[in-house]
Amino acid sequence: MENLATTIDSDISRNIELYDLSLRNVASNMIEPELAGVSKRLLNLILFDHAATAKHFGAIQVFDAAGKLIHDSATYDPNPENRADEDYFTVHRDNPNAGLFIGRPGLHRGAYAIVLSRRITGRDGAFLGVVVGSLRFSYFHDLFERLSLAADDVISVIRRDGVVIMRTPFDLDVIGRDLSQSPGVKRVLVEQSGSFEGSGAIDPIKRLYVWRDSSHPLIVIVGKSWTDIFAIWRSQALRVGGIMLALIAFVAGATMILVREIKRRGRAEDRLAELAITDALTGLRNRRKFNQVIEREWSRAQRRQEPLALLMIDADHFKTYNDMFGHQAGDQVLVRIAASIAGAVRHTGDCAARYGGEEFAVLLPGLSTDAAFAVGESIRTKVEMLSADKWATTVSIGVTSLVPSASLQPADLIEAADKALYEAKSRGRNQSVPAPRGHLSRVA
């Protein structure tokens, strides 16, 4: 709206300025003494330039100090006229500093127009007459018709005293009305640029009004109804909202795909991590994971001064069994032993692992030698119950438990359990043997 007001104001001001230059030219040439003996034809060429014949501009006339018409750009021999009573004449006669005067709109020489006039002042400051021109309403109609306006849009052109010069939608009854007492127009007349809202002085429609650069002779006010403004906003809001919804849907879809992919990759990584610490045949923890757990549990037991027990389990006569029945049968035996071990290990910190070949290790945090021995016997009994026919096999178990100290290492715990295992083997196998009491710092 500001751009529209500025554009219209600039167009009107430029045309008035060009026409005013023609009026100034006539006023300055009329006081030249050399024009006294010049022919009428040549005098018209000197006084009036081509601007006087431009579209929408009326003919320029010159009136003497008595108000009599003496020159007319439209003819060499103008008809006698006297305009001494017209406001465009009296204002210059009574006020030497009136400058460019824009009269009230009305009929002028057979067409609706606004009259523009300037004073002719002699070299001694005396009033010598008035030069008068006009700007027809057709100029404003042609200007406004080129604009794309909504039904309730208004454009008003007012004089600096609040008189309406032109308005679209055009209403002849409104042209010439004095709106200087209207609250909004009062602001327009004192502020160079700005805006206000409210019902217009002509109709009750609530509008937003904008004007720009009121320093020009005529002021342009552009008004748009709030209904149309909100209609534009709703249209833009729906369009932007639609785009935003599409973007939200796209982002949501992309996010869901991304989350699903992250979860899939997380599961795959968890699976890979699980595979990295799991023995592929038995499903128990592998040697690598066992080493990590025993280091962690050793530090915890040492910090809390709690016992840490270990079972070392070995399948009896496994090599002979494997050679007799084959590797596949041997693998099945290891799987059954592993299942028996896993069934006996239920506490959170416990760790059952395939230590290597047919050897298994079970770490039991917080258990004494006797408690660990009971777990070992439970495992041995389950394996023995599984032994039948082709699957006949047993296990030997070494049991130890100690409270870690600064002078000991996890390897000492493994060594003690391993020696107890060898002792079980030497005693005839299929039995659990605790490490000798008093060895290292075992708990009774």
Side-chain angles (χ1 to χ4, degrees):
M1 290 175 67
E2 289 179 346
N3 290 338
L4 181 61
T6 301
T7 301
I8 297 173
D9 180 78
S10 298
D11 192 283
I12 294 174
S13 299
R14 183 175 63 255
N15 280 282
I16 290 178
E17 183 179 2
L18 289 174
Y19 200 58
D20 185 38
L21 288 175
S22 297
L23 299 181
R24 289 171 180 267
N25 180 65
V26 174
S28 61
N29 285 334
M30 283 298 299
I31 63 175
E32 296 297 333
E34 291 84 356
L35 297 181
V38 176
S39 65
K40 292 181 179 180
R41 179 177 178 279
L42 185 57
L43 184 60
N44 266 31
L45 291 175
I46 294 172
L47 291 177
F48 308 116
D49 57 24
H50 291 292
T53 61
K55 183 182 179 181
H56 306 308
F57 290 124
I60 296 178
Q61 296 176 309
V62 180
F63 297 90
D64 64 13
K68 294 180 180 180
L69 178 62
I70 56 177
H71 297 292
D72 191 326
S73 64
T75 178
Y76 297 142
D77 296 305
N79 294 323
E81 293 182 23
N82 191 299
R83 301 296 181 184
D85 295 332
E86 298 287 350
D87 58 350
Y88 58 75
F89 184 86
T90 57
V91 71
H92 290 296
R93 181 192 63 196
D94 300 337
N95 182 9
N97 299 316
L100 176 66
F101 177 74
I102 300 177
R104 283 178 171 271
L107 279 172
H108 180 75
R109 303 190 69 179
Y112 282 99
I114 56 173
V115 176
L116 294 83
S117 60
R118 274 199 174 272
R119 174 189 173 101
I120 302 174
T121 304
R123 297 185 187 279
D124 57 355
F127 175 64
L128 300 182
V130 175
V131 55
V132 178
S134 62
L135 180 61
R136 300 188 185 97
F137 280 9
S138 59
Y139 161 71
F140 296 102
H141 293 321
D142 184 62
L143 175 62
F144 296 152
E145 284 173 0
R146 297 197 299 266
L147 304 175
S148 178
L149 302 175
D152 291 332
D153 288 355
V154 296
I155 301 175
S156 299
V157 182
I158 65 173
R159 205 166 60 175
R160 296 202 59 79
D161 59 357
V163 173
V164 179
I165 298 298
M166 178 54 63
R167 183 180 185 272
T168 184
F170 181 74
D171 185 350
L172 192 58
D173 293 335
V174 176
I175 306 303
R177 184 182 297 185
D178 186 355
L179 303 180
S180 59
Q181 299 307 309
S182 171
V185 175
K186 283 183 178 180
R187 285 190 56 194
V188 173
L189 298 178
V190 297
E191 298 179 20
Q192 185 170 355
S193 302
S195 64
F196 65 91
E197 58 177 302
S199 299
I202 308 302
D203 56 46
I205 299 175
K206 292 185 177 181
R207 297 184 177 90
L208 173 67
Y209 294 91
V210 174
W211 75 96
R212 301 288 292 171
D213 198 0
S214 61
S215 62
H216 295 156
L218 297 180
I219 305 170
V220 177
I221 306 174
V222 175
K224 179 173 282 293
S225 72
W226 283 110
T227 302
D228 292 335
I229 291 173
F230 284 121
I232 295 172
W233 176 84
R234 289 189 190 96
S235 175
Q236 293 179 343
L238 288 173
R239 183 166 58 254
V240 173
I243 294 173
M244 291 303 297
L245 285 175
L247 288 174
I248 290 171
F250 173 76
V251 171
T255 302
M256 291 177 64
I257 294 173
L258 183 60
V259 168
R260 187 164 60 246
E261 179 64 17
I262 290 173
K263 288 182 177 179
R264 188 192 66 79
R265 292 186 62 180
R267 289 192 297 269
E269 290 173 358
D270 291 343
R271 178 60 180 162
L272 289 174
E274 184 70 17
L275 291 174
I277 62 174
T278 302
D279 179 66
L281 176 62
T282 63
L284 299 179
R285 299 305 186 199
N286 59 21
R287 176 77 171 268
R288 177 185 176 189
K289 179 63 177 177
F290 175 80
N291 290 336
Q292 294 174 353
V293 173
I294 196 172
E295 290 287 345
R296 183 183 70 236
E297 294 301 329
W298 180 274
S299 298
R300 179 180 294 142
Q302 183 177 359
R303 185 170 60 253
R304 296 179 179 179
Q305 283 299 288
E306 295 176 348
L308 183 62
L310 177 64
L311 307 181
M312 294 299 293
I313 305 170
D314 187 75
D316 296 332
H317 305 294
F318 182 77
K319 185 177 185 304
T320 303
Y321 184 91
N322 210 34
D323 293 340
M324 183 180 298
F325 297 104
H327 292 290
Q328 187 172 3
D331 289 345
Q332 290 297 327
V333 168
L334 294 179
V335 170
R336 286 170 176 259
I337 293 174
S340 298
I341 294 172
V345 178
R346 297 189 179 93
H347 295 94
T348 304
D350 296 348
C351 177
R354 185 182 181 188
Y355 199 71
E358 65 275 16
E359 192 173 9
F360 300 88
V362 179
L363 190 66
L364 302 169
L367 296 189
S368 65
T369 301
D370 292 341
F373 180 81
V375 174
E377 279 296 288
S378 173
I379 295 172
R380 187 190 64 77
T381 302
K382 286 183 180 181
V383 174
E384 187 177 25
M385 291 174 61
L386 291 173
S387 300
D389 302 330
K390 174 182 176 181
W391 306 106
T393 188
T394 57
V395 293
S396 297
I397 303 176
V399 182
T400 188
S401 178
L402 59 82
V403 176
S405 64
S407 62
L408 300 175
Q409 297 295 328
D412 296 323
L413 180 66
I414 297 172
E415 182 183 355
D418 216 26
K419 287 182 178 179
L421 173 61
Y422 288 136
E423 180 65 22
K425 291 281 189 181
S426 65
R427 292 183 183 183
R429 297 180 173 81
N430 190 23
Q431 56 186 290
S432 300
V433 175
R437 295 181 182 275
H439 181 73
L440 299 175
S441 301
R442 295 180 192 84
V443 175

